[in-house]
């Protein structure tokens, strides 16, 4: 009841603020066959590099002015295919280990969302990317089955980039759908994921595409693609649910993003508190109020279509090194070009170092965590970003949970 009353109080505030495969086990029940809420984490930084998640991989270019090694495309272009292959084979074999999956299972995580780029599934040899991800993916799927976890395979990057973010594989312009074969190559990648789903019963969902940006790709184009993606996936793996990101559209337009006739669908919305000036400047109570308000929005649409918060974190600053892009600063302290510090004297020093957090900061983070988890369970559940990081503690689920900042309830219990 503590968290329920917390959100009730917060909403009264909000009214004034927001107008190689491993072992196998028995099949995991599809989403529609179990009432269990999704309580998951993303395995980010594994098959799609992001400098802020694993900064050690990009450290050698820190002193290179205007380096082009800002994403996986640039990483492989800078190294050349042979060296990139060697380094990524080592990374794929070490970033996610069985002990990580066992730890997550012990923390009552029941779902893994695994991002992967098109280049692993429908490659073009003229591009700098390298392949070899699939055996490592299948190894993780074996572990998921062994520990009784469900999996969503998430197509995280499309040819040309669907959003211009480094997490699409290539930072810069949004060029997806501008070439004649972009859509077909994306569908080919989804077909490959659907075939993998047929081989691994732990896979219960396939995400059509992560975060297509409506400001770079017309809404109508995204919706047409979503229908094609649904049909492609279901023709091969009819047992899996198809997950659709909201394309950063407002909730009033979510019904357009997921047409009602696509019945076995899940709407995925991502909620962060650090990438928009008005939100990053909120105080603690206001962050909690926003989480609770977002939960009501999710709960409302969940009555029509299953809805999850597929990415969120505990960050209330953007101080994680390179979170806004390799060699870029932060809004919080005004070091991001074009930004102004949230307050005079605002600093990023130790913001992402849990060991240096004050008692007040820890208390807020616990409250912020529980308000988000309870709020998003008004829908079909949540998937935290990320399972771990090298140095960004507010984004590291395992470390947050092991240090008592995030408290996950036992299976079958509710936060409220």
């Amino acid at each position: 009841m503590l968290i329920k009353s917390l959100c009730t109080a917060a909403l009264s505030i909000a009214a004034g603020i927001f107008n190689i495969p491993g072992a196998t086990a028995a099949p995991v029940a599809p989403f529609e066959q179990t009432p269990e809420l999704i309580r998951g984490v993303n395995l980010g930084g594994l098959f799609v590099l992001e400098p802020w998640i694993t900064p050690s991989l990009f450290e050698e270019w820190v002193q290179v002015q205007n380096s082009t090694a800002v994403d996986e495309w640039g990483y492989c272009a800078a190294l050349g295919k042979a060296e990139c292959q060697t380094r990524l084979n080592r990374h794929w074999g070490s970033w996610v280990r069985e002990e990580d999956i066992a730890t997550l299972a012990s923390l009552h995580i029941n779902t893994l969302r695994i991002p992967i780029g098109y280049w692993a599934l429908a490659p073009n040899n003229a591009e700098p990317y390298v392949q070899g991800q699939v055996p490592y993916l299948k190894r993780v799927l074996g572990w998921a089955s062994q520990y009784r976890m469900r999996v969503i395979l998430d197509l995280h990057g499309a040819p040309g980039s669907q959003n211009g973010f480094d997490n699409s594989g290539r930072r810069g312009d949004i060029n997806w759908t501008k070439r004649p074969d972009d859509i077909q190559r994306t569908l080919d990648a989804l077909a490959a994921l659907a075939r993998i789903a047929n081989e691994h019963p732990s896979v219960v969902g396939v995400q059509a595409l992560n975060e297509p940006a409506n400001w770079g790709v017309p809404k109508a184009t995204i919706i047409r693609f979503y229908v094609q993606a649904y049909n492609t996936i279901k023709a091969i793996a009819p047992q899996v649910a198809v997950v659709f990101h909201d394309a950063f559209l407002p909730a009033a337009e979510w019904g357009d993003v997921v047409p009602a006739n696509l019945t076995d669908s899940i709407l995925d919305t991502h909620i962060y508190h650090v990438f928009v000036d008005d939100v990053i400047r909120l105080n603690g109570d206001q962050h909690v109020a926003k989480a609770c308000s977002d939960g009501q929005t999710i709960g409302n649409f969940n009555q029509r279509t299953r809805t999850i918060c597929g990415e969120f974190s505990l960050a209330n600053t953007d101080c994680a090194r390179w979170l806004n892009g390799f060699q870029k600063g932060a809004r919080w302290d005004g070091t991001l070009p074009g930004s102004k510090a949230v307050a005079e004297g605002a600093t990023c020093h130790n913001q992402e170092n849990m060991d240096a957090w004050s008692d007040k900061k820890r208390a807020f983070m616990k409250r912020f965590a529980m308000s988000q988890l309870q709020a998003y369970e008004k829908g079909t559940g949540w998937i935290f970003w990320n399972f771990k990081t090298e140095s960004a503690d507010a984004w590291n689920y395992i470390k947050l949970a092991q240090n008592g900042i995030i408290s996950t309830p036992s299976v079958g219990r509710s936060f409220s």
Side-chain angles (χ1 to χ4, degrees):
M1 296 303 294
L2 169 64
I3 302 307
K4 187 172 183 179
S5 62
L6 185 150
C7 265
T8 300
L11 285 170
S12 67
I13 298 171
I17 303 171
F18 304 107
N19 269 354
I20 318 165
T24 58
V28 177
F31 287 133
E32 69 274 11
Q33 294 181 14
T34 173
E36 187 179 15
L37 286 164
I38 293 172
R39 290 171 173 160
V41 296
N42 287 274
L43 301 187
L46 177 57
F47 301 124
V48 181
L49 298 185
E50 297 187 44
W52 72 271
I53 296 177
T54 52
S56 64
L57 295 179
F58 290 82
E59 201 71 51
E60 67 191 84
W61 294 286
V62 170
Q63 302 302 325
V64 179
Q65 188 173 7
N66 298 319
S67 172
T68 58
V70 299
D71 48 33
E72 189 157 339
W73 177 289
Y75 181 86
C76 288
L79 293 173
K81 285 199 174 187
E83 180 63 18
C84 186
Q85 188 77 66
T86 297
R87 295 193 190 189
L88 287 185
N89 280 340
R90 184 166 57 243
H91 173 69
W92 297 331
S94 61
W95 181 237
V96 176
R97 298 177 180 272
E98 182 179 354
E99 64 191 64
D100 295 317
I101 306 304
T103 296
L104 290 165
S106 74
L107 296 170
H108 306 302
I109 290 298
N110 62 27
T111 304
L112 304 174
R113 180 173 178 255
I114 305 180
I116 193 166
Y118 75 92
W119 56 90
L121 308 156
N124 179 342
N125 289 334
E127 297 175 342
Y129 297 120
V130 297
Q131 287 69 52
Q133 298 90 334
V134 172
Y136 294 97
L137 170 61
K138 291 182 177 181
R139 181 173 69 168
V140 175
L141 295 179
W143 293 333
S145 183
Q146 179 180 343
Y147 290 96
R148 302 286 296 151
M149 289 185 175
R150 301 173 292 190
V151 174
I152 296 172
L153 297 178
D154 157 42
L155 188 64
H156 217 68
S161 179
Q162 73 277 16
N163 52 34
F165 304 155
D166 57 12
N167 60 47
S168 71
R170 192 172 190 184
R171 194 177 92 186
D173 295 334
I174 301 172
N175 288 317
W176 181 60
T177 74
K178 293 182 180 179
R179 295 171 298 187
D181 64 343
D182 282 352
I183 293 290
Q184 188 56 55
R185 290 183 68 199
T186 310
L187 295 173
D188 290 346
L190 289 171
L193 289 179
R195 288 190 289 270
I196 291 170
N198 278 341
E199 299 172 10
H200 294 271
S202 58
V203 180
V204 295
V206 175
Q207 183 144 10
L209 188 58
N210 180 68
E211 297 184 344
N214 71 78
W215 58 87
V217 182
K219 173 183 170 181
T221 300
I222 295 171
I223 294 171
R224 283 196 300 270
F225 164 73
Y226 275 179
V227 173
Q228 290 176 286
Y230 184 93
N231 292 334
T232 296
I233 294 164
K234 284 293 191 179
I236 298 169
Q239 76 281 6
V240 304
V242 181
V243 183
F244 300 106
H245 182 256
D246 62 15
F248 302 104
L249 290 163
E253 299 181 49
W254 287 356
D256 300 333
V257 173
V258 186
N261 62 318
L262 305 186
T263 53
D264 192 11
S265 300
I266 296 174
L267 189 282
D268 172 26
T269 189
H270 298 169
I271 301 173
Y272 292 117
H273 286 230
V274 298
F275 298 118
V276 177
D277 285 345
D278 289 347
V279 178
I280 199 172
R281 294 175 184 276
L282 298 178
N283 64 33
D285 287 343
Q286 292 168 342
H287 279 294
V288 169
K290 178 180 174 0
C292 295
S293 178
D294 290 336
Q296 286 203 330
T297 300
I298 287 171
N300 290 339
F301 196 72
N302 193 68
Q303 297 177 44
R304 188 264 203 186
T305 298
R306 288 172 296 175
T307 305
I308 63 173
C309 179
E311 291 187 21
F312 69 104
S313 76
L314 293 197
N316 67 326
T317 80
D318 61 339
C319 287
R321 186 187 187 202
W322 303 334
L323 178 64
N324 295 303
F326 183 63
Q327 297 180 325
K328 292 188 177 183
R331 295 169 186 82
W332 186 260
D333 62 0
T335 57
L336 181 69
S339 70
K340 182 180 179 180
V342 297
E344 186 176 352
T347 177
C348 278
H349 181 64
N350 279 335
Q351 291 285 357
E352 286 293 336
N353 179 6
M354 185 187 299
D355 293 338
W357 289 352
S358 66
D359 289 344
K360 181 179 179 181
K361 171 87 168 180
R362 284 175 173 269
F364 163 71
M365 295 297 259
K366 290 180 182 181
R367 185 167 167 248
F368 189 32
M370 294 191 70
S371 64
Q372 288 193 84
L373 300 180
Q374 189 267 343
Y376 306 150
E377 290 195 1
K378 292 181 182 295
T380 298
W382 47 264
I383 307 176
F384 189 91
W385 191 283
N386 196 31
F387 81 110
K388 70 179 181 183
T389 62
E390 286 184 347
S391 57
D393 287 352
W395 303 77
N396 186 331
Y397 188 92
I398 290 175
K399 188 171 183 178
L400 289 162
Q402 289 180 333
N403 283 273
I405 303 298
I406 290 178
S407 179
T408 305
S410 300
V411 175
R413 291 182 58 202
S414 169
F415 281 98
S416 60

